[in-house]
């Protein structure tokens, strides 16, 4: 009889290195293909946009690779293209992130260009105006896209008066107020070593990476100067917002408070959400709203772990004349799950899916780097890579039923609808 195969440890592959200047990173060496993927982030993002200038962080992200050092925008982009280097930056709600991908033979050039972008961005007038115009154009498109409009209406009620009420990408009418000095100041305050997290995967050894980390990051400020962002509860539970818009379908966004990523109940909440609306083709919402009644093409729910206000949110779209029915089914399924909890069969299938699908986060170097960065941002150590599936498997039926009651509670949802839904009207919070 053959002995059982040894369980593969993902955590054992993660090296935790520190450069001579104190820059820490997680590294997975992998020489199967001659590629290097690097993900990194700083605390901050759109929540740090100056008052009345929503979109400053997005504009900063769009401009860091539009000229740096002695290279203007055209020359910088040509250098990236000539060496097949992918470099981009993004501003989310609570983080400012960067991604680098390069062939190992061009690693020196890739790190050189990234160092310029981080430490010596130019913010020249032409790319400044061009990138700002691109952001404005995207925001204008979103202002007439029903799904984006529903998300905006939901966000502005849920987090009224809080930075989260603004789009992380910016707000029409505010990006034009952002100046070059605003970007210089935001970069100085936000891109600092004390909140920096780094993950690297690919054909590079620890000594070489440590040398590059020195050039990339030691010139940044030691400490960030972030504006405090308050904790905030989601408001408007029980309220329905209807935005009149002449389209044949009603776009529905719904939600309520969720679970923080480090909450002891989060993993059980992940299982519960998979049963309700997170499992494509198998979830209760999919079966009840789409399969049994044909009300929609797609419906989902998810746990969003914004740092200062985690949420449980979902969305669907349906014909205006069936919007009320669709929402009634969604609310009824939420209430039923909160009252009764899942069945043992639902729990077993959800856990098997969540355990089995975890491997899909590790099938490319880019995915691995992104997941390692996410774990660091969430405050986990590398050993969590080996613990995660065990935590999912440990969720009991009692856990799931208790957390369903906690997560969904009285099933009061904040709902935003864009369209001309028949049988649905504005309703105040109850």
């Amino acid at each position: 009889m053959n002995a059982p195969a040894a369980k593969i440890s993902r955590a054992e592959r993660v090296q935790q290195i520190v450069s001579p200047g104190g820059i820490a990173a997680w590294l997975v060496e992998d020489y199967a293909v001659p590629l290097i993927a690097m993900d990194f982030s700083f605390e901050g993002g759109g929540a740090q946009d100056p008052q009345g200038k929503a979109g400053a962080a997005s504009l900063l992200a769009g401009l860091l690779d539009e000229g740096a050092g002695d290279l203007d925008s055209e020359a910088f982009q040509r250098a990236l293209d000539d060496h097949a280097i992918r470099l981009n930056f993004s501003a989310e709600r609570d983080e400012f992130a960067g991604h680098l991908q390069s062939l190992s033979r061009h690693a020196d050039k890739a790190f050189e260009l990234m160092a310029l972008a981080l430490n010596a961005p130019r913010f020249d007038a032409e790319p400044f105006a061009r990138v700002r115009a691109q952001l404005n154009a995207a925001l204008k498109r979103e202002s007439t896209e029903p799904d984006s409009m529903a998300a905006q209406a939901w966000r502005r009620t849920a987090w009224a008066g809080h930075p989260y009420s603004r789009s992380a990408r910016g707000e029409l009418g505010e990006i034009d107020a952002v100046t070059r000095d605003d970007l210089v100041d935001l970069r100085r305050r936000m891109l600092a070593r004390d909140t920096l997290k780094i993950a690297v995967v690919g054909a590079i050894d620890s000594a070489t990476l440590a040398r590059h980390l020195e050039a990339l990051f030691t010139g940044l400020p030691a400490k960030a100067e972030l504006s405090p962002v308050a904790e905030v509860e989601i408001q408007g539970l029980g309220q329905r917002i209807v935005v009149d818009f002449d389209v044949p379908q009603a776009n529905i966004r719904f939600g309520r408070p969720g679970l923080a990523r480090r909450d002891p109940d989060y993993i059980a909440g992940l299982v519960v959400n998979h049963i309700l609306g997170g499992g494509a083709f198998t979830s209760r919402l999919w079966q009840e709203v789409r399969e049994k009644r044909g009300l929609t093409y797609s419906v989902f729910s998810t746990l969003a772990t914004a740092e200062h206000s985690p949420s449980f949110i979902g969305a669907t779209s349906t014909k205006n004349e069936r919007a009320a029915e669709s929402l009634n089914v969604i609310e009824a399924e939420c209430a039923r799950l909160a009252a009764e909890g899942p069945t043992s069969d639902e729990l077993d299938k959800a856990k098997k899916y969540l355990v089995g699908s975890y491997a899909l986060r590790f099938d490319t170097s880019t995915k691995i780097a992104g997941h390692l960065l996410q774990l660091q941002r969430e405050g986990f150590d590398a050993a969590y890579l080996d613990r995660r599936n065990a935590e999912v498997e440990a969720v009991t039926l009692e856990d799931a039923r208790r957390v369903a009651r906690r997560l969904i509670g009285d099933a009061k949802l904040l709902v935003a609808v864009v369209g001309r839904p028949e049988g649905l009207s504005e309703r105040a919070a109850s």
Side-chain angles (χ1 to χ4, degrees), residues 320-336:
N320 280 314
E321 57 268 28
R322 305 198 74 179
E325 182 183 0
S326 298
L327 186 55
N328 287 340
V329 173
I330 290 169
E331 291 177 331
E333 285 306 308
C334 287
R336 185 166 73 91

Side-chain angles (χ1 to χ4, degrees), residues 112 144 150 156 176 252 259 397:
E112 174 192 333
T144 56
R156 287 182 174 175
D176 287 337
I252 301 171
L259 297 169
L397 191 59

Side-chain angles (χ1 to χ4, degrees), residues 173-187:
E174 294 195 17
I175 290 182
D176 287 337
V178 179
T179 67
R180 186 182 188 281
D181 287 344
D182 291 325
L183 298 191
V184 171
D185 182 62
L186 186 60
R187 172 186 164 275

